[in-house]
Amino acid sequence: RLERCPRGDVDLQVWGTMPLKQDSLEAFADRNDLSEGTRLELRKLFNSVISGTRRRVTVRVPATTANVGPGFDCLGMALDIWNEVIVERATVFSIEIEGEGAAVLPLDSSNLVCKGVEAAFKAVGKQVPILRYRTLNRIPFAKGLGSSSAAIVSGILAGLAIAEFNFKVKGEEELLQIAAAIEGHPDNAAPCIYGGFQLGIHTGERWWTSRVTIPHGLMCVVFAPDHATETSEARSVLKQQVNLDDAVFNCGRVGLLIAAFATNNLDWLRVATEDALHQPQRSPLHPHLLPLIKAALAAGAHGACLSGAGPAVIAFCGGRAGDVIAQNESERKELEVAEAFLAAADAINCPGQVLITKPIEHGGYIVTETATYDTHDPENRRQRIRYVQD
């Protein structure tokens, strides 16, 4: 479209590398001593090419705890711990990472945020533009709290926003299909997208998920060891075949777990969070697992289990009413459970920290979006509307 500019006045190759900003256009015109007619033509082209283009988006995505005991690869719950990602159009690719995993996460296109963006653009049939990425990671990295899913989902959401495309949810769950296909299972991806407690399966045709009620006042106490575990290593120790007794054991406890949440019978969680399919096999990788579960239950937790593939261990407590900082501690058990976690971990020389959080009912979302538009064009009303969520 720039071919319409007089070639004698404009170096099109240089113009093509310019940042797409109005002030850059004027500086370029001054530097090349363009005629007023050519300047006017360039302004028209700028508005036609850039007007309405979404240039920057800020995305927030939650941590997730998968399996919740017996629900291997099927159950997951969003937690109120958030990563934030800013993706914006640029002239040079770059990634800046602050917070969890900053020292080890890749700073190239192999980063999972980039992979999510690529997947979004591929799904809508567009080329990925040159982008700049900035991430603030609060979700503990490689601890079994869904940091990988958070990166993928944040990239997909940002990619869809930059591409100005949206997916169908009802009856198709298109975003879930992309995320779960990358992950291979929906237990982290579904709650990261939708929030809440999600039960996900594959129907034979597509990934499908449904929300499970979360009891009011539920608190989550997470022990996150200082060491990390690769999910691939934690999956390699699992059996490809299971015996009938173990299958029945888990089937019953998955049903009991769903019933406990749906009916607010938290006392059932002590049994409902037990597992026979993955925790016994993974306990040699996580020698702290069984001692910490025992300590949490003794301190008053309703239930406790490995979070995802580990090494984090999560315990569930009740009693929250309003903001916990303003509520009397004697009405709840999470501090006692947290201290029991640390005492048990210290006794076996497993250093780490405890995070006390809660389930969150909403998943990843666009916090802000920034678009360039002509404020004087009455036809651009829709482009002057922004979603702001926080």
Side-chain angles (χ1 to χ4, degrees):
R1 296 168 74 176
L2 288 173
E3 296 288 339
R4 291 158 49 195
C5 294
R7 287 180 179 269
D9 285 345
V10 180
D11 183 341
L12 295 178
Q13 185 175 2
V14 173
W15 170 252
T17 64
M18 293 289 291
L20 297 177
K21 297 180 179 179
Q22 187 73 44
D23 56 354
S24 299
L25 181 150
E26 298 300 336
F28 176 84
D30 290 340
R31 189 167 58 252
N32 288 273
D33 194 25
L34 301 185
S35 67
E36 187 57 38
T38 302
R39 288 170 185 258
L40 180 61
E41 185 71 9
L42 272 177
R43 291 188 192 106
K44 290 180 180 178
L45 286 171
F46 179 89
N47 288 333
S48 67
V49 173
I50 305 304
S51 180
T53 297
R54 190 170 286 146
R55 298 191 48 76
R56 183 176 67 181
V57 295
T58 302
V59 180
R60 297 185 79 209
V61 285
T64 49
T65 181
N67 303 326
V68 197
F72 180 68
D73 277 5
C74 298
L75 294 177
M77 184 165 59
L79 303 177
D80 197 13
I81 307 169
W82 298 84
N83 281 1
E84 186 167 291
V85 179
I86 299 173
V87 181
E88 57 187 330
R89 294 177 184 267
T91 55
V92 177
F93 172 89
S94 65
I95 302 180
E96 300 172 21
I97 301 174
E98 179 182 348
E100 296 284 340
V104 295
L105 286 166
L107 299 176
D108 56 25
S109 60
S110 66
N111 189 290
L112 288 178
V113 176
C114 301
K115 292 296 184 184
V117 170
E118 291 172 5
F121 273 84
K122 181 179 179 181
V124 303
K126 293 184 178 181
Q127 288 289 109
V128 180
I130 299 173
L131 298 170
R132 178 188 181 192
Y133 300 82
R134 286 179 286 171
T135 69
L136 174 57
N137 294 341
R138 300 182 183 91
I139 300 171
F141 174 70
K143 298 290 195 286
L145 291 166
S147 59
S148 295
S149 284
I152 292 168
V153 171
S154 67
I156 296 173
L157 288 172
L160 291 174
I162 292 289
E164 300 190 77
F165 195 89
N166 47 51
F167 281 152
K168 294 179 181 178
V169 176
K170 294 182 178 180
E172 297 188 38
E173 297 185 280
E174 291 177 322
L175 198 159
L176 177 65
Q177 307 311 306
I178 297 174
I182 296 173
E183 284 272 271
H185 38 84
D187 51 355
N188 289 110
C192 190
I193 294 169
Y194 301 122
F197 187 20
Q198 299 286 334
L199 167 62
I201 64 169
H202 197 280
T203 66
E205 297 179 353
R206 70 173 183 89
W207 295 104
W208 178 93
T209 189
S210 180
R211 182 180 296 267
V212 178
T213 300
I214 296 177
H216 178 72
L218 188 69
M219 296 288 291
C220 301
V221 184
V222 180
F223 175 78
D226 289 347
H227 68 273
T229 299
E230 288 290 336
T231 301
S232 57
E233 180 185 8
R235 294 187 79 88
S236 69
V237 302
L238 301 182
K239 301 175 183 178
Q240 293 300 309
Q241 294 182 330
V242 298
N243 64 49
L244 182 61
D245 288 343
D246 289 342
V248 172
F249 183 97
N250 269 51
C251 285
R253 279 156 178 77
V254 167
L256 183 63
L257 180 62
I258 300 299
F261 272 69
T263 61
N264 198 18
N265 280 296
L266 296 182
D267 290 341
W268 295 354
L269 294 181
R270 176 179 288 263
V271 174
T273 51
E274 294 176 341
D275 166 79
L277 298 185
H278 70 101
Q279 290 188 170
Q281 291 86 344
R282 286 169 167 166
S283 59
L285 282 178
H286 308 306
H288 61 285
L289 173 61
L290 297 181
L292 263 66
I293 289 177
K294 182 179 179 180
L297 295 177
H302 292 295
C305 57
L306 188 66
S307 182
V313 181
I314 187 167
F316 302 102
C317 302
R320 175 175 56 85
D323 187 274
V324 293
I325 305 301
Q327 184 184 9
N328 192 295
E329 295 175 5
S330 65
E331 298 177 357
R332 307 182 317 275
K333 290 287 187 179
E334 77 275 358
L335 281 176
E336 295 176 39
V337 172
E339 291 172 356
F341 265 164
L342 291 175
D346 290 345
I348 57 174
N349 194 28
C350 180
Q353 64 174 325
V354 171
L355 305 175
I356 299 176
T357 185
K358 64 182 184 298
I360 191 74
E361 289 286 0
H362 64 275
Y365 63 99
I366 306 296
V367 180
T368 58
E369 53 175 349
T370 301
T372 304
Y373 54 83
D374 183 358
T375 58
H376 301 292
D377 184 356
E379 300 300 320
N380 280 338
R381 292 192 185 94
R382 174 61 186 89
Q383 294 164 3
R384 287 182 280 149
I385 300 172
R386 291 191 302 151
Y387 285 95
V388 181
Q389 307 175 94
D390 200 1

